[in-house]
Amino acid sequence: MRTLATLPSRDGFRMPAEFEPHAGCWMLWPERTDNWRDGAKPAQAAFAAVAAAIAAAEPVTVGVSAAQFQNARLRLPPAVRVVEMSSDDAWVRDSGPTFLVDGRGRRRGVDWTFNAWGGLAGGLYFPWNRDDEVAQKILEIEGSDRYRTSFVLEGGAIHVDGEGTCLTTEECLLNPNRNGDMSRADVEEHLRRYLGVTRVIWLGRGVHLDETGGHVDELACFTSPGHVVLTWTDDRDDPQYDISRDAYARLRHARDARGRKLAVHRIHQPGPLYMTAEEAAGVDPRPGTRPRRAGDRLPASYVNFYVANGRVVMPAYDPRRDGAARRALARLFPDREVVGVPTREVLLGGGNIHCITQQVPAAAGPRRPAARRRAPVRRTATRR
Ligand code: KQY
């Protein structure tokens, strides 16, 4: 693996949309007991269920600490590849690389600087040095050349349509705890250079009480070019109401990189859901990490799904709302099976399925002209 000093966009690379074909998916194994309750066992069961649901559709690799290797190996399906990899936590969407492809069948990755969602000014834990090395290690294993940048970004802070448009939020990418006082124009320039996009659509705030500081991947995402799904609530007294309304208005007024107006599809949020006293008590408190308290509202959204080859894997956590969300996603992804996996245990740690997965796009070469069909050769002595 080479570390390149050039820029992806100048080298002809772009970030493909998640709904484009994949070569596989990466996950990390949850372990830290100051974030995952009850020794991380319930979270491990949920991660294993997510890995199994994705592995039915595409190859999955899980990175795991040396201490947890055998445990993970035994809990994960045999089809899942398990590799030893140290990390500070298990949010590979954010600590992992953003994979890029070009039109010549090559795949590379961006290794953003990771600062645990805000560094010492509101970040979620310290230290985060092992998480900051996760992208490099994954690229090494994948054999993909690497663009390292001092620009601070987590993968959950962006979505792309693969046709030149990036979706993000002001709350996250303009927060000084990511890139200091960098201007909106400078942030956009970094997104253009490293993702190969030409248009950035800015939403305002992320999901209410999302501890990442407003990641777009809880709020909204592209389901195909020109189509966006948005988390929604009909409850005007819910703080999420104004956030989603504002996002809806911005999306309806936006044009994508190809000049299209967007169709915006709303999915009603679950709950609201809250942490129980038993769940909070199962988390080991530690100075410097976010305390978990009974009654804390959880940042639950159905938008945090993963789009695998031929399959969408969505969080399930509220019997009153899960069915409608599943049907809405089935309409938006007519060629994929939509599978719900119970992931309340992932939500208790602060994210969901999209946050714990990272797709490796298929590196497709240039289309070859179809071979000219020849008329079938007639055999003179054909046996019937
Ligand atoms: O992408 C995410 N939603 C990550 C959440 C991190 C939470 C850490 N406790």
Side-chain angles (χ1 to χ4, degrees):
M1 180 203 67
R2 297 175 298 165
T3 297
L4 306 165
T6 52
L7 288 173
S9 55
R10 293 212 189 120
D11 295 342
F13 281 80
R14 68 172 178 105
M15 179 185 178
E18 194 170 316
F19 45 77
E20 293 182 49
H22 295 179
C25 174
W26 274 83
M27 297 176 66
L28 298 170
W29 188 246
E31 181 178 352
R32 59 185 299 158
T33 57
D34 57 2
N35 195 53
W36 306 106
R37 72 183 180 121
D38 299 348
K41 294 301 156 214
Q44 289 173 0
F47 273 58
V50 171
I54 298 172
E58 63 192 38
V60 176
T61 305
V62 177
V64 54
S65 73
Q68 283 285 314
F69 184 87
Q70 297 300 350
N71 177 42
R73 179 61 286 168
L74 290 167
R75 289 179 191 270
L76 288 162
V80 171
R81 176 172 66 158
V82 182
V83 301
E84 188 180 315
M85 182 177 291
S86 49
S87 62
D88 295 298
D89 204 355
W91 308 99
V92 74
R93 175 65 52 188
D94 295 342
S95 57
T98 297
F99 282 98
L100 312 169
V101 295
D102 72 357
R104 296 166 52 192
R106 295 181 298 176
R107 185 168 47 227
R108 292 179 177 168
V110 184
D111 177 356
W112 314 97
T113 290
F114 177 81
N115 75 353
W117 308 275
L120 300 179
L124 296 177
Y125 46 73
F126 175 88
W128 54 81
N129 56 299
R130 289 181 300 190
D131 273 350
D132 194 30
E133 289 180 352
V134 162
Q136 181 181 7
K137 291 175 182 173
I138 289 177
L139 292 171
E140 188 72 50
I141 292 173
E142 292 291 338
S144 297
D145 288 339
R146 160 183 183 246
Y147 296 100
R148 171 65 174 176
T149 169
S150 58
F151 187 71
V152 175
L153 184 122
E154 305 93 40
I158 48 162
H159 265 302
V160 297
D161 67 355
E163 297 192 351
T165 318
C166 175
L167 201 56
T168 191
T169 64
E170 294 167 348
E171 180 184 354
C172 182
L173 280 198
L174 300 185
N175 189 326
N177 70 7
R178 299 311 208 279
N179 289 292
D181 55 5
M182 192 178 278
S183 69
R184 179 189 299 254
D186 284 343
V187 170
E188 286 194 13
E189 186 55 28
H190 278 81
L191 298 176
R192 285 196 193 95
R193 288 177 179 170
Y194 285 94
L195 301 175
V197 297
T198 55
R199 170 75 52 93
V200 178
I201 297 175
W202 290 92
L203 304 181
R205 290 167 56 200
V207 161
H208 181 54
L209 297 181
D210 174 2
E211 65 194 37
T212 65
H215 272 190
V216 76
D217 73 344
E218 294 276 8
L219 181 71
C221 74
F222 291 105
T223 55
S224 60
H227 290 264
V228 173
V229 65
L230 171 69
T231 192
W232 190 257
T233 177
D234 292 328
D235 180 0
R236 289 167 180 266
D237 295 330
D238 187 324
Q240 186 58 42
Y241 184 80
D242 285 340
I243 297 171
S244 290
R245 259 178 69 100
D246 175 65
Y248 185 78
R250 292 183 190 223
L251 288 164
R252 294 286 292 161
H253 285 105
R255 297 261 178 187
D256 68 13
R258 302 244 175 138
R260 284 176 293 229
K261 295 201 86 170
L262 299 170
V264 187
H265 310 272
R266 292 170 282 190
I267 295 189
H268 203 286
Q269 67 181 6
L273 305 176
Y274 300 90
M275 188 171 287
T276 66
E278 186 190 353
E279 288 166 344
V283 179
D284 293 343
R286 197 166 76 111
T289 59
R290 174 171 284 245
R292 302 294 185 197
R293 298 194 189 93
D296 281 352
R297 177 161 169 182
L298 304 167
S301 153
Y302 291 110
V303 168
N304 204 265
F305 53 80
Y306 178 74
V307 186
N309 292 337
R311 193 167 243 226
V312 173
V313 183
M314 64 162 258
Y317 22 42
D318 180 356
R320 292 177 314 129
R321 299 275 186 197
D322 290 353
R326 200 189 57 73
R327 288 190 293 277
L329 291 179
R331 282 193 296 275
L332 291 167
F333 293 99
D335 300 329
R336 295 175 210 249
E337 173 192 21
V338 180
V339 180
V341 178
T343 49
R344 183 178 171 93
E345 294 296 335
V346 185
L347 179 63
L348 294 174
N352 222 297
I353 294 175
H354 195 256
C355 309
I356 62 169
T357 51
Q358 184 65 251
Q359 71 275 5
V360 183
R367 281 223 181 119
R368 297 217 177 109
R372 284 183 62 186
R373 297 185 76 173
R374 290 197 191 140
V377 179
R378 282 195 169 254
R379 293 200 182 155
T380 42
T382 319
R383 288 183 73 162
R384 294 207 122 192

